[in-house]
Amino acid sequence: MKKVITTALMGGVAAALGGAGAANASCASLNGQSIGAGCTTGTGGFSLALGPAAATAAGPGNIAIAVGNPGFNRFYGTNVPTQALADGGTGNVAVALGDGSNAGSRGNHNTAFVLGQGSNAFAYGGNNGNIPQPGNHNTSITVANGGEAGAVGKHKLSTAFSSGRHLNNGLGG
């Protein structure tokens, strides 16, 4: 029965993606079952990408959505793909809307939302060397072109609402 429900849901997503217009590499994945390239999930996860974007939701209740084309991201100094990653625990949400933008949430019940070109939003526990660590109940929101907000630790909130703004654990206009 579970396989039938998953197949029906994925068929519905595929039908919706078929009418998505100009997107050229759209994909969806639910519970480990994928349609198209660029979307992956684990058990209980959902990911969706429109355009040549990538979305990964690894873990129960994790959701990743990415919409956009590759674009310049000043924080990396080069063109990068639009990507959303929700992993390292449960109940994470990562949404990246904009060319060359990235959203990442790692841990439990974190949210990273970015709307803008070449922008980033991250909600996680910090780094151990170069390895991102899980965090809990963090929220990061970026609504700007070339902006970045990082909610790092536990129970942190960070926002960036103007171009070129970079904030960790702060609220910014």
Side-chain angles (χ1 to χ4, degrees):
M1 183 65 173
K2 183 171 136 181
K3 183 77 169 168
V4 170
I5 292 171
T6 300
T7 302
L9 286 171
M10 293 306 291
V13 170
L17 291 176
N24 59 8
S26 300
C27 62
S29 184
L30 175 67
N31 222 16
Q33 303 295 314
S34 298
I35 296 174
C39 293
T40 57
T41 55
T43 301
F46 172 75
S47 65
L48 173 71
L50 300 177
T56 299
N62 289 339
I63 298 168
I65 299 171
V67 179
N69 295 301
F72 183 77
N73 187 305
R74 73 182 198 93
F75 299 98
Y76 297 104
T78 189
N79 282 350
V80 299
T82 299
Q83 302 179 90
L85 170 67
D87 74 352
T90 63
N92 295 299
V93 177
V95 178
L97 307 173
D99 296 346
S101 290
N102 295 281
S105 58
R106 173 167 282 175
N108 294 297
H109 307 286
N110 296 301
T111 301
F113 176 83
V114 60
L115 173 64
Q117 311 302 318
S119 296
N120 305 308
F122 301 106
Y124 68 112
N127 290 322
N128 183 1
N130 290 328
I131 301 171
Q133 300 299 303
N136 296 311
H137 304 281
N138 296 309
T139 301
S140 177
I141 301 168
T142 302
V143 180
N145 293 327
E148 180 174 84
V152 182
K154 293 182 180 179
H155 301 279
K156 302 294 183 178
L157 171 65
S158 186
T159 63
F161 294 113
S162 61
S163 296
R165 188 82 156 171
H166 170 80
L167 288 172
N168 281 327
N169 297 332
L171 305 177

